[in-house]
Amino acid sequence: MKVAPSILSADFAHLGAAIDGVRGEADWLHVDVMDGHFVPNLTIGPPVVAAIRKHCDAYLDCHLMMTNPGQYLEAFASAGANSVSVHVEVGGTADLIDKCRSLGLGVGLAVNPETPIEACEEFLGRIDVLLVMSVHPGFGGQKFMPVAVDKIAWAAGYAERNSLDLSIEVDGGIDVEQAALTSAAGANIFVAGSAIFGRPDPVAAAGAIRKSAELAGAGRERR
Ligand code: DX5
Ligand code: ZN
């Protein structure tokens, strides 16, 4: 189980302090990159990744909500990203996976709520992480969409049947309750922005999400 606080909900004017405040419960830091085209919002890019890398050695999980991620993979790798997730909706997936591998990046494939999970099937044996979106990407603080649960269960079943070493990450509207629900379905990486950085005690909030996911995940393993 991994908890990945999404820095999108952190105070950008005090980003280093916000990161230091959750490190005790953050396995990964989730970095939401938006290009104003694939999604109707603009956020952060390689210079901010480089600044975080200078600040700490956290694992940086960069979620590229971009129409043309291929053009920026080198910049993210040299900025110090550990992994990137590209969206299946932008196409060219096989080439993007190869390019990430050649740059030594961990490889994730993200899928939007309205995209059938089968669109990812042919790539599941070649990626490290399937990133199942449980909100429409673009903004933090949205409500969890239950459609993600069936997708997670499908992917977990597929990975088990095919003996794949695949992590399943869920992103959007995750708090304690949704962490339990998605962990029981087979997710093992939990992104949360507002439910962590929007709370008075972010590290305790992240810890509560982890506990909830672990409890539900243990129940899943016993089934
Ligand atoms: C949405 C982003 C998410 C977002 C999650 O486009 O991909 O990572 O920051 O934020 P919360 O947890 O507030 O839904
Ligand atoms: Zn994200």
Side-chain angles (χ1 to χ4, degrees):
M1 298 288 170
K2 287 187 170 63
V3 176
S6 164
I7 61 165
L8 183 61
S9 298
D11 179 354
F12 283 172
H14 302 98
L15 191 51
I19 289 170
D20 296 345
V22 293
R23 279 303 298 283
E25 288 286 352
D27 301 283
W28 288 4
L29 286 177
H30 185 81
V31 181
D32 284 310
V33 178
M34 306 189 189
D35 68 349
H37 190 264
F38 182 71
V39 289
N41 199 2
L42 288 164
T43 53
I44 53 195
V48 176
V49 172
I52 301 171
R53 175 51 69 233
K54 232 168 132 183
H55 177 76
C56 68
D57 64 358
Y59 186 101
L60 302 178
D61 166 40
C62 299
H63 177 189
L64 307 187
M65 287 160 274
M66 312 175 76
T67 302
N68 192 1
Q71 204 178 324
Y72 298 92
L73 293 175
E74 272 154 32
F76 280 102
S78 42
N82 296 88
S83 65
V84 299
S85 290
V86 296
H87 270 263
V88 69
E89 294 84 8
V90 304
T93 305
D95 289 345
L96 288 169
I97 293 172
D98 288 346
K99 194 158 182 196
C100 290
R101 290 274 177 236
S102 72
L103 291 165
L105 291 163
V107 185
L109 187 61
V111 57
N112 278 343
E114 64 275 17
T115 305
I117 189 67
E118 289 78 8
C120 301
E121 183 172 348
E122 64 178 296
F123 308 110
L124 294 181
R126 303 176 52 192
I127 59 175
D128 304 307
V129 177
L130 177 70
L131 175 51
V132 177
M133 293 305 300
S134 41
V135 297
H136 293 295
F139 301 91
Q142 303 181 74
K143 197 170 174 311
F144 176 81
M145 297 169 71
V147 66
V149 176
D150 286 347
K151 287 183 173 172
I152 291 166
W154 182 91
Y158 184 96
E160 274 160 24
R161 282 194 307 281
N162 295 283
S163 309
L164 301 181
D165 186 14
L166 178 72
S167 281
I168 302 178
E169 181 173 16
V170 60
D171 183 10
I174 298 292
D175 200 346
V176 172
E177 191 187 321
Q178 296 76 14
L181 201 68
T182 53
S183 175
N188 67 314
I189 304 174
F190 304 86
V191 176
S194 48
I196 293 178
F197 291 109
R199 296 288 153 79
D201 187 346
V203 77
I209 289 171
R210 176 193 309 286
K211 266 209 187 76
S212 171
E214 278 174 358
L215 215 68
R220 177 174 193 271
E221 273 154 29
R222 274 198 301 276
R223 278 207 306 269

